[in-house]
Amino acid sequence: MTTEIQYGGHQDPKSTHLQPLKIEEKDSIILAGISVITTNAEEVSGKGQLGALWTKFYTDDVSSLIAEKASDGAIYGCYTDYENGAEGRYRLLIGMRVQNIDNKPAGLDFVITPAAKYAVFTTSRGPIQEVVFQAWNAIWQWSETSSMKRTFTGDFEYYDERSADPANAQVDIYIAIE
């Protein structure tokens, strides 16, 4: 079940003052894919693993290994297992939504996000790496000043048909909040 609450937030695609476009309540989601553990500090230092994980997901055609995929075909980048909020280690799983974890192929990981309330941000259109990076920078700024508090229970990027062209993509980012 998904419940959407329209939010009065404003989003200027050129601004670093990104605001959630809506608040959405979602049931838990089961995701299957590949994952790494990293930190934001590692990622911005040039020693990060996320770029290589995305490359592996596509070059190894990981989506073809995922059984019982959800029919929408969307790809998720799910952030879980936060050790210290945005400052510590976390796990990123890149994968797809599945119905259950019964048919787990070797080499794949699973994440079950809890049912939660999310602040939903939508990136501007542009090169996928650029717009996602810009959006996360703005989200970090937003989370420092917003009255909404992050729960760090499972945030995710949602890549649907709007992100099929990596040179002109748009992505939704769901941030779990209290």
Side-chain angles (χ1 to χ4, degrees):
M1 179 180 147
T2 298
T3 304
E4 289 186 21
I5 303 165
Q6 293 302 316
Y7 180 73
H10 171 71
Q11 180 173 327
D12 175 355
K14 305 283 188 228
S15 172
T16 60
H17 302 292
L18 192 66
Q19 294 294 317
L21 292 179
K22 61 186 172 184
I23 304 300
E24 203 172 298
E25 292 186 15
K26 296 184 89 49
D27 288 338
S28 66
I29 301 169
I30 304 171
L31 300 171
I34 57 175
S35 67
V36 294
I37 296 175
T38 188
T39 66
N40 288 332
E42 288 173 10
E43 294 306 314
V44 298
S45 75
K47 298 177 184 176
Q49 305 174 67
L50 301 185
L53 187 68
W54 279 104
T55 299
K56 179 177 176 57
F57 182 82
Y58 286 106
T59 58
D60 291 359
D61 194 18
V62 172
S63 64
S64 69
L65 304 174
I66 300 171
E68 300 181 33
K69 293 182 273 247
S71 61
D72 67 0
I75 296 171
Y76 291 74
C78 184
Y79 300 81
T80 61
D81 303 329
Y82 289 96
E83 288 183 359
N84 186 26
E87 302 301 317
R89 298 185 77 68
Y90 59 86
R91 176 166 70 141
L92 172 69
L93 177 131
I94 301 171
M96 301 178 83
R97 192 165 52 91
V98 295
Q99 300 303 316
N100 61 60
I101 59 174
D102 295 337
N103 299 321
K104 180 183 174 192
L108 290 187
D109 299 320
F110 282 92
V111 164
I112 301 173
T113 64
K117 181 166 56 169
Y118 293 92
V120 182
F121 297 83
T122 300
T123 69
S124 56
R125 281 200 163 276
I128 201 162
Q129 290 177 318
E130 187 176 305
V131 298
V132 170
F133 182 75
Q134 288 171 351
W136 273 107
N137 279 329
I139 289 167
W140 293 330
Q141 291 174 10
W142 166 84
S143 68
E144 290 175 4
T145 60
S146 175
S147 62
M148 292 182 226
K149 299 295 178 206
R150 292 182 64 184
T151 62
F152 296 98
T153 55
D155 305 316
F156 60 89
E157 301 161 355
Y158 180 75
Y159 298 85
D160 59 12
E161 67 278 349
R162 296 169 300 149
S163 59
D165 175 4
N168 187 31
Q170 189 170 42
V171 176
D172 291 331
I173 301 176
Y174 287 71
I175 302 298
I177 57 173
E178 293 178 350

